[in-house]
Amino acid sequence: MSDHPSSPPPQVPDAGLWESIDGLCGWLDANRPVDGPDGLLLRILKLSEEVGEVAQAVIGATGQNPRKGTTHTWDDVRSELCDVAVTALLALRTLTPDAREVFTRHLDGVTRRSLDA
């Protein structure tokens, strides 16, 4: 029995999300300057860049750099987190045309492990 009976059941991500990811992946494929395995690795490494931008936004939103002060807002942090999610889904879609099924299956497993524990 779940410790979280009031938690809503996991939902399958919206189909429009995956249509957008497919479209963006196609656009990136058509416009990438590096092909082959290096292009794949660079697309995956883009995640590190995006995560760094989240860190920069958090530091800026909390004013942790005394020389710069408050340079970002929490809206900036939310936006950067969305960029991380999109970039991760694009990397997954680059690895497999079955990204939607892979992600949904993985999310279901994480949800079951976490909420049914």
Side-chain angles (χ1 to χ4, degrees), residues 84-95:
V84 169
V86 170
T87 302
L89 292 176
L90 283 167
L92 179 61
R93 176 58 184 83
T94 299
L95 287 173

Side-chain angles (χ1 to χ4, degrees), residues 23-81:
L24 288 167
C25 193
W27 176 78
L28 286 170
D29 287 347
N31 293 287
R32 66 179 158 194
V34 178
D35 285 326
D38 289 343
L40 171 65
L41 292 175
L42 289 168
R43 192 164 298 170
I44 293 170
L45 285 175
K46 178 74 173 156
L47 273 169
S48 294
E49 178 188 15
E50 295 298 341
V51 169
E53 291 176 11
V54 171
Q56 182 180 21
V58 169
I59 288 167
T62 57
Q64 291 303 301
N65 184 335
R67 185 175 53 81
K68 294 181 180 180
T70 302
T71 59
H72 290 73
T73 66
W74 289 105
D75 282 340
D76 294 326
V77 174
R78 285 186 280 274
S79 178
E80 295 299 345
L81 286 168

